[in-house]
Amino acid sequence: MSAAILLLALLPQTALFTQPTSGWSPTRVVTSTAISAKGPALTLTAAGAGESPWTNVAHKKTNGPIAAGDVVSFRAWMRSPNKAKIGIMFELASPPNTKYIASVVIPPPDWKEYRFAGKVGAAHPTGEAQLALFMGYGAGTVELADIRLENLGSVDLSKIPQTIDYYGASPNSPGWRKAALARIEKIRKGDLTVKVIGRNGKPVRGASVTLEQTRHAFKFGTAAPAARLVGTSPDDRIFQQKIRQLFNTVTFENDLKWSALENQNYLQVDQAIDWMKKAGIEVRGHNLVWGAERWLPAGLWAKSDAEVKALVERRVKETARRFAGKLYLWDVVNEAVTETQLWDRIGWQYFSDVFKWAREADPNVLLAYNDYNITEENEVGPGHKNRAKERLDLLVKNNAPFDVIGIQSHVAVPMTPMQRVLEILDEMAAYGKPLEITEYDLAVVDDEANGQHLADFLTACFSHPKVEAFIMWGFWQGAHWRADQGGAMFRMDWTARPAAKVWEDLTKKQWWTRAKGTTDARGSLKVRGFKGRYQVMVNGKAAGETVLSGSNATITVQSEN
């Protein structure tokens, strides 16, 4: 192991923290009282919960460079007389604030040492990354002493001792699982009866029947770039094979976003849609309007308000009309809790109007509102979710024709316990709309925790009666927005992490029906199977296809014997 390089040593009397212009409680104090052998203590006090955990934050930028692949280590002694929650984040110091260490703890009243570490995915010169201490979770005080942030260089992260509590001192009791599995058996399955008749029209007893599910009714999907779906490189070919093998739904990750006003080149998108249609894959549209200046076409913001309104309407109507019949759903508006610049400028009535314009342009496509930090309550608190509900309330009030609520689920530590996830899904389901998990990923955890969370979260969501889709936001390290943070299921060389094995085991084995049997005296065989499409074989020969969509279905086939 190479010698550690001290990136910063935080001693309060040296005033190393930069105080934001707002958001701090007036009772916040920084002391320099000696605490036994641990040195001076830093005391952070928050008066109450902020809109987000980073509403109250102390941060300090690094004083040394970091190379791609280096491991950064944080350690400190902490205590909290009232068991307050604190977030320890080592992150990029500017948007998107990529996090390499992300841990939330509740220190006890007595001193306890904490150690966290993370691998940095990209090189950062001095001052480009920072240590941030989040105190916006609620009222309370946390004291920290002997705080050190070190660059350990290129070492094995798994060998670094850490004090990890993935659920942030919240109990993640397994008690939810039994009820979830019972719901899956009840709501995701139905009774499929095959009746076999002979050439004489009479029931055939003892016919050998095989049922093979060929497609799941539930949407198991991923985000993907169009270029990978039509590319010809060796990695593209593997990418396409994995899509066919593991998913029945794809969201275009960036290709349909509003990147230009005129002369959109949809050639690659059209080719990718054709490829997916042949592969039997459904396509989600993402997204029609994202209301921040940085996500709008270059030059749009410089136009007059009237021009902006007209161009938004044109974008929605022309794009929805162009792809009519090719997509099953549009994310009409994305992230209106935080990306509000467009609506603040042209008026919030247009937030509802864009749904009406999309419905006018394509009466058959499903329309969704999509937002994040809804199930991530343990990480960021309930504020974002509650504001998302305010946006939905506005759509309801204005009779906007939205059909689906999209829940992104970009998960980070501390993760929300599964029982609470199910309660949040109930809360969102109260709008009476189907729910889709639209952008799932999990980063900044080890392989085992990554796989276990996917197993739990996917099971919980699949068990909820209002959830109709679960979309991964990418699956391969070579095409993943959180690749540097370990967000992908497959490594760059296509070796599978535990999460990939979990996905295939659940979606293609445990939740997939393959059944064999013989008909009874009435020429019937009844099987309980997962809802979806089936191929029926009788006495070794293809006899037809059927769809099990409700609680039961019957297909009558003729035997050649």
Side-chain angles (χ1 to χ4, degrees), residues 262-282:
E262 303 289 347
N263 301 319
Q264 287 261 24
N265 182 6
Y266 289 119
L267 176 61
Q268 216 169 45
V269 171
D270 289 336
Q271 291 173 340
I273 289 175
D274 289 342
W275 181 89
M276 286 187 282
K277 182 178 180 180
K278 292 175 183 176
I281 294 168
E282 293 194 78

Side-chain angles (χ1 to χ4, degrees), residues 174-186 419 422 463:
W176 63 274
R177 183 176 295 276
K178 183 177 180 180
L181 294 177
R183 284 194 303 274
I184 289 172
E185 181 68 25
K186 180 180 179 181
Q419 184 56 50
L422 288 164
S463 79

Side-chain angles (χ1 to χ4, degrees), residues 204-269:
V204 177
R205 179 175 185 170
S208 175
V209 176
T210 300
L211 287 169
E212 175 72 33
Q213 190 168 10
T214 58
R215 182 184 176 85
H216 214 293
F218 191 89
K219 294 179 175 64
F220 294 108
T222 184
R228 289 288 178 187
L229 298 174
V230 300
T232 58
S233 73
D235 281 328
D236 291 337
R237 297 300 191 196
I238 298 173
F239 190 93
Q240 294 156 21
Q241 184 268 329
K242 293 295 184 185
I243 291 280
R244 289 190 296 264
Q245 175 188 345
L246 298 174
F247 307 105
N248 61 26
T249 304
V250 163
T251 300
F252 282 116
E253 186 172 7
N254 295 305
D255 300 275
L256 292 179
K257 292 174 181 174
W258 193 7
S259 57
L261 282 174
E262 303 289 347
N263 301 319
Q264 287 261 24
N265 182 6
Y266 289 119
L267 176 61
Q268 216 169 45
V269 171

